[in-house]
Amino acid sequence: TALTGSDALREHLEQHAEEYREFLARVRDLLQMEIRITTVASPQPAATSGREYLLTKQAVVEAEENYAGKLRSAAEDMIREWKVRKTQNSLRCYALVSRSDAAAFRQRMQSVLSSNPAVHVVLSGPWPATEFLDVIVKA
């Protein structure tokens, strides 16, 4: 969020103080892990039609979503919340996990990551749980 100065920041915090308090209480002992999934494209001839192009794109999206499902299932018992966001070239998954489960979560993800060479996966974190904060600022 970009605010125009300290007065705007102060006003924003005053307006949303309760939301921030609730969020901080909710994620007190939690952290965010990020998983970025990109399908490794095999060399294919150029699409000869718009339909072929869209079918190829659809297959990529489905492969990424299926892989995200496998990753989530591998650590379902540790994940408090899960969010998925599609970007232009990848699928970004965010897992909210307990601080005490961070190492075990990473291990489980690593065991699944090594099993599919057609998908490139980057696991990062721990991060602050910013992806799970829903305060919206209108500029």
Side-chain angles (χ1 to χ4, degrees), residues 36-53:
R36 189 176 34 184
I37 303 168
T38 308
T39 301
V40 178
S42 58
Q44 295 180 3
T48 58
S49 70
R51 182 178 188 279
E52 280 184 35
Y53 172 80

Side-chain angles (χ1 to χ4, degrees), residues 33 35 71 74-75 78 97 100-115 123 125:
M33 300 297 285
I35 305 158
L71 291 169
M78 293 182 213
V97 300
S100 62
D101 287 337
F105 178 85
R106 184 174 286 284
Q107 272 187 316
R108 286 217 202 147
M109 291 299 102
Q110 292 297 337
S111 69
V112 176
L113 298 182
S114 62
S115 68
L123 173 64

